[in-house]
Amino acid sequence: MELFFNNNTDVKITGIRRYYVYLISNEAKTRFTSGVTVDLEGLLQKKGDKELTAGSDCSGLVYFEYFEDVLEAVEREIVINAYSVKKKQALADSFNKNLLPENFLKLIL
């Protein structure tokens, strides 16, 4: 959140930063990579980059959630990262893709 002060000492809040916890996978949903980012759309546009997938074949978004507190986001990512493949598959399958903005739909599996 950014704060600006004017001459009248009023505070203007310009926005709240969102921290996204994401889960990407290969098409078969047998390999997963999780992480935290402030730019989910920018991250997904790197689909297929080794920087994004650490050399794995994970290239499609299967789940995400967002937080306004970076520590909560990191804690959640640690929890998701510790999940078994089966539990990550269930998380991905439960994700409601109908709630996504149209520009994200082409970036998900």
Side-chain angles (χ1 to χ4, degrees):
M1 176 170 52
E2 297 177 21
L3 301 176
F4 291 95
F5 297 89
N6 64 21
N7 292 338
N8 299 329
T9 66
D10 292 333
V11 177
K12 178 182 176 187
I13 300 174
T14 61
I16 297 173
R17 181 167 282 214
R18 289 187 174 174
Y19 301 91
Y20 295 90
V21 176
Y22 62 88
L23 189 61
I24 57 174
S25 178
N26 61 353
E27 284 192 47
K29 294 184 183 167
T30 56
R31 296 189 67 175
F32 294 89
T33 301
S34 63
V36 176
T37 185
V38 294
D39 183 12
L40 186 61
E41 189 172 1
L43 178 94
L44 293 174
Q45 290 177 356
K46 294 181 181 179
K47 250 174 49 165
D49 285 358
K50 288 184 181 180
E51 175 186 336
L52 170 64
T53 61
S56 72
D57 56 351
C58 297
S59 61
L61 180 69
V62 293
Y63 180 83
F64 78 90
E65 55 190 279
Y66 70 88
F67 298 85
E68 293 175 2
D69 182 317
V70 68
L71 295 177
E72 288 180 23
V74 169
E75 289 172 358
R76 179 66 174 147
E77 191 274 334
I78 290 169
V79 168
I80 290 172
N81 194 42
Y83 283 174
S84 66
V85 170
K86 192 171 188 172
K87 196 163 184 179
K88 288 177 185 175
Q89 288 169 336
L91 187 64
D93 291 342
S94 72
F95 187 53
N96 187 350
K97 295 168 180 66
N98 295 327
L99 299 177
L100 291 173
E102 194 171 310
N103 59 325
F104 276 61
L105 293 177
K106 64 181 179 234
L107 302 171
I108 62 172
L109 290 176

